[in-house]
Amino acid sequence: MQDMIFDNNQVLAVGSEPFLSRFDLNGKILSRMPCAPQSAFSVSLHPSGVTAIGGYGGLVDVISQVRSHYCTFRCSRT
């Protein structure tokens, strides 16, 4: 795991696999959602329920409150 945050009584975590993992507080995996970065470095949850996942290759995935994929951004140097 590279990063994790609490979301009510659950934990959202990202790391060396291309997934956003959701755990209960006892460590049981509740779900795993695929994400674009092959290795994710950070996860952020906005109060509106939107989740952003940043990782390898300058990719940022945006996921909705109902766990559907909104879009993927590629950050690049200019």
Side-chain angles (χ1 to χ4, degrees):
M1 293 295 148
Q2 296 287 337
D3 194 21
M4 55 80 60
I5 56 173
F6 290 98
D7 181 19
N8 295 320
N9 289 326
Q10 297 177 352
V11 175
L12 303 178
V14 295
S16 62
E17 297 179 328
F19 295 100
L20 169 65
S21 299
R22 184 175 291 272
F23 298 88
D24 68 14
L25 294 179
N26 293 317
K28 178 183 173 189
I29 295 177
L30 301 174
S31 66
R32 294 183 74 188
M33 182 172 183
C35 57
Q38 292 302 301
S39 180
F41 308 136
S42 67
V43 60
S44 177
L45 181 64
H46 189 270
S48 68
V50 175
T51 303
I53 301 159
Y56 183 78
L59 295 176
V60 177
D61 257 359
V62 180
I63 298 172
S64 77
Q65 185 173 3
V66 293
R67 298 182 189 103
S68 64
H69 190 259
Y70 272 145
C71 61
T72 301
F73 294 97
R74 180 177 300 275
C75 303
S76 63
R77 295 166 71 184
T78 57

